[in-house]
Amino acid sequence: MDTTEFRRRGKEMVDLIADYLENIEQRTVYPDVEPGYLRSLIPEEAPEDPDTYEDVVKDIERVIMPGVTHWHSPYFYAYFPTANSFPAMLADMLSGAIGCIGFSWAASPACTELETVMMDWLGKMLKLPEDFIAGTHGQGGGVIQGTASEATLVALLAARCRAVRMILASDPQRPETGITSKLVAYSSDQAHCSVERAGMIAGVRMKKIPTDQSDKYAVQGETLRRMIQEDKAAGLIPFYFCATLGTTPSCAFDHITELGPICNAEKIWMHIDAAYAGSSFICPEFRPLLNGIEFADSFNFNAHKWLLVNFDCSTMWVKKRSDLIGAFKMDPLYLKHDHQESGRYFCTDNSLFRSLKMWFVFRMYGLKGLQDYIRKHVELAKEFESLVRADQRFEISADVVLGLVCFRLKGSNEVNETLLKRINNGRKIHLVPCLLSGQFVLRFALCARTTESRHIREAWRLITQLAEEVMQELPH
Ligand code: PLP
């Protein structure tokens, strides 16, 4: 493909994308295919001679679309959202064209510098404490990761490094393996599974802190304090706590104003995982949910979930850049450059120019546009909550704080499991479940940018219709 053809095909592709998104609600939100469906639709091997662009485009509808779950359909209510906006898509095109990799400042100065400044912009939108802002002289700052799971792991590895160095500083003879085998990290029993996996990768114990319904599934200070004391008495070394703001099952918020001072006093690294909820903190009415951030060592959320910046863009801040840089520093000759010692920039990351999409989105929506977007989803969630509450057969299973509604039919898990199966088999709307205090619960998450009240009401009509059927068939 030469430049002339690229100009033409590029415009056609933009039309194809616009048509896809404009008409997405006519598609079945959840694909009706069996595992392995795709292999039989394409050759076993790459073509020896080139295919034409027309051939490739023709196969999008034949091969790809039948197996696509349409995350941006207004009938998609599963998981948590993943962002999708036109400014971000355009920025991604440019990023692909520039095609640089920002592994050091010198590798592409604009890439590294824009990332630092965008993370400051976003940090200021969130009203993060000054400590997390890089500015021109700050000790802290932000760096983009691919996912929240990566951020949790990066923070855990940095915390492990800091803990080992602190102990070695006072006891230089102690063997390092003797220290790491005693390290213990904590997170909520509601934390995302990636936190437990981070512990496995880092080779440290990860203990789950129990929560319960009466405390709205939030980790309590007293519980953490007790576990730390018990572990210290048993000779273990507590070093990391991952708090969650907006848990995956029910969007619960750990009490970081209580937990933070405990971590600080015990020299435990507190990381905050706000993968979904973090975007909402740009609204003053939701910002109190982040109170206590001043006690954290690191904080992360996925701008690619709910802030209109397409995947991947998981934004992570630390109070001390030196904690990360020190933990991961590599110094080969081929990475040396004349501005090495400025120390202003993180380069923990080998990515394309991801900050370009933040720049496009922040400028073209403005803070107000982004706030409106968050508020609209929260209002729609409240609308759905009212529909559920108005129906005596159903109950709400957790407080609706943001854009997630956890609900169930009053009755057995079997009834609720059957209801969800019917909903998803119908393929008109798509939801996933969670387990709260042993109860099977349906999660209704506001996801698509284009979801409106009429979609919510249609979804509810469908859910109640299917519930009627299920309740007639099964004892509840
Ligand atoms: N943490 C929380 C609270 C989440 O809800 C999720 C995903 O929904 C994750 C972490 C994992 O995010 P990622 O897929 O970006 O690793």
Side-chain angles (χ1 to χ4, degrees):
M1 187 180 290
D2 59 14
T3 324
T4 309
E5 190 184 357
F6 177 68
R7 283 181 201 282
R8 183 154 65 94
R9 300 307 189 188
K11 284 163 194 150
E12 286 171 15
M13 179 52 81
V14 167
D15 278 338
L16 188 151
I17 293 168
D19 287 345
Y20 167 68
L21 289 172
E22 208 165 50
N23 301 310
I24 197 167
E25 69 178 83
Q26 266 106 59
R27 292 181 185 263
T28 307
V29 63
Y30 191 62
D32 190 5
V33 290
E34 294 297 320
Y37 91 94
L38 190 141
R39 189 172 277 279
S40 63
L41 297 177
I42 58 174
E44 284 292 327
E45 278 159 36
E48 192 77 29
D49 297 313
D51 284 344
T52 65
Y53 182 75
E54 281 93 344
D55 291 336
V56 179
V57 166
K58 241 186 5 238
D59 281 350
I60 296 174
E61 281 302 329
R62 187 181 69 86
V63 178
I64 304 300
M65 287 300 173
V68 170
T69 301
H70 299 286
W71 280 61
H72 302 289
S73 160
Y75 296 114
F76 182 89
Y77 304 106
Y79 316 109
F80 275 138
T82 190
N84 182 289
S85 74
F86 294 120
M89 281 183 259
L90 291 173
D92 260 347
M93 281 173 72
L94 180 59
S95 167
I98 294 174
C100 64
I101 302 181
F103 51 68
S104 75
W105 178 87
S108 194
C111 180
T112 304
E113 296 209 11
L114 187 67
E115 178 163 332
T116 307
V117 180
M118 285 306 101
M119 292 300 289
D120 276 2
W121 276 20
L122 184 52
K124 288 174 191 172
M125 287 189 219
L126 296 161
K127 306 245 177 308
L128 290 186
E130 221 17 65
D131 294 346
F132 290 96
I133 306 296
T136 48
H137 295 96
Q139 308 270 302
V143 61
I144 305 174
Q145 305 292 327
T147 61
S149 311
E150 286 170 46
T152 301
L153 176 63
V154 164
L156 180 66
L157 295 174
R160 189 184 67 179
C161 179
R162 186 177 82 174
V164 169
R165 283 181 189 169
M166 260 175 353
I167 293 164
L168 286 178
S170 59
D171 185 1
Q173 303 310 320
R174 195 164 167 180
E176 202 170 314
T177 48
I179 302 171
T180 46
S181 66
K182 297 283 182 205
L183 292 175
V184 55
Y186 306 92
S187 70
S188 163
D189 61 3
Q190 301 291 308
H192 190 265
C193 58
S194 54
V195 182
E196 190 176 352
R197 193 173 49 213
M200 289 163 67
I201 298 170
V204 295
R205 280 182 194 80
M206 176 68 71
K207 291 201 174 177
K208 290 187 185 174
I209 305 173
T211 61
D212 71 38
Q213 193 167 17
S214 62
D215 290 323
K216 302 186 174 182
Y217 302 106
V219 171
Q220 306 296 301
E222 218 20 69
T223 324
L224 176 65
R225 197 193 309 275
R226 199 182 54 246
M227 287 177 74
I228 292 171
Q229 293 319 327
E230 285 170 8
D231 285 340
K232 280 168 59 174
L236 297 178
I237 308 167
F239 80 106
Y240 177 83
F241 168 57
C242 177
T244 311
L245 296 181
T247 58
T248 318
S250 68
C251 203
F253 292 81
D254 289 341
H255 293 175
I256 54 172
T257 47
E258 275 178 27
L259 298 158
I262 300 171
C263 291
N264 287 182
E266 297 286 347
K267 297 194 169 45
I268 291 173
W269 181 301
M270 181 162 83
H271 175 68
I272 297 177
D273 170 12
Y276 162 68
S279 300
S280 72
F281 306 151
I282 63 164
C283 299
E285 66 273 33
F286 302 123
R287 175 59 178 76
L289 294 167
L290 187 60
N291 288 351
I293 174 70
E294 61 275 17
F295 301 111
D297 293 281
S298 54
F299 165 63
N300 168 257
F301 80 95
N302 286 348
H304 68 239
K305 270 189 163 50
W306 203 14
L307 210 59
L308 294 162
V309 183
N310 286 38
F311 188 82
D312 57 343
C313 186
S314 184
T315 43
M316 177 186 192
W317 289 262
V318 287
K319 245 186 207 153
K320 285 210 177 101
R321 286 202 301 274
S322 56
D323 281 335
L324 281 202
I325 293 167
F328 302 111
K329 196 172 165 82
M330 292 286 152
D331 223 3
L333 188 59
Y334 51 81
L335 288 184
K336 288 201 190 306
H337 58 83
D338 291 346
H339 303 282
Q340 192 89 17
E341 299 314 319
S342 89
R344 285 233 289 274
Y345 304 108
F346 280 123
C347 295
T348 58
D349 188 14
N350 278 346
S351 72
L352 281 176
F353 208 150
R354 293 186 285 207
S355 54
L356 267 182
K357 55 193 170 192
M358 297 170 82
W359 196 46
F360 276 45
V361 168
F362 296 166
R363 293 181 66 186
M364 295 182 67
Y365 278 89
L367 176 57
K368 285 191 184 140
L370 296 171
Q371 289 170 334
D372 288 348
Y373 175 65
I374 299 283
R375 286 175 181 139
K376 183 177 159 197
H377 271 189
V378 178
E379 271 168 32
L380 289 171
K382 296 280 179 199
E383 182 180 343
F384 187 80
E385 180 190 10
S386 318
L387 293 170
V388 178
R389 286 198 188 278
D391 189 323
Q392 293 305 307
R393 296 167 300 176
F394 286 87
E395 61 193 0
I396 293 287
S397 307
D399 282 2
V400 179
V401 183
L402 299 173
L404 175 70
V405 184
C406 289
F407 72 106
R408 68 195 303 279
L409 273 170
K410 290 172 186 162
S412 67
N413 281 353
E414 190 195 357
V415 165
N416 282 285
E417 279 179 51
T418 310
L419 173 60
L420 183 67
K421 211 171 265 169
R422 295 272 167 96
I423 292 171
N424 285 335
N425 285 349
R427 297 189 157 77
K428 179 73 187 148
I429 60 173
H430 188 49
L431 276 68
V432 294
C434 69
L435 210 57
L436 291 175
S437 305
Q439 290 198 317
F440 188 92
V441 168
L442 281 71
R443 291 170 79 267
F444 187 91
L446 264 296
C447 287
R449 178 170 49 82
T450 52
T451 306
E452 298 289 345
S453 172
R454 70 181 168 90
H455 300 113
I456 301 291
R457 282 181 276 119
E458 207 178 316
W460 182 242
R461 236 186 340 267
L462 195 81
I463 292 167
T464 47
Q465 227 171 47
L466 293 171
E468 191 74 49
E469 281 174 30
V470 171
M471 288 172 85
Q472 277 172 13
E473 289 167 29
L474 288 176
H476 44 278

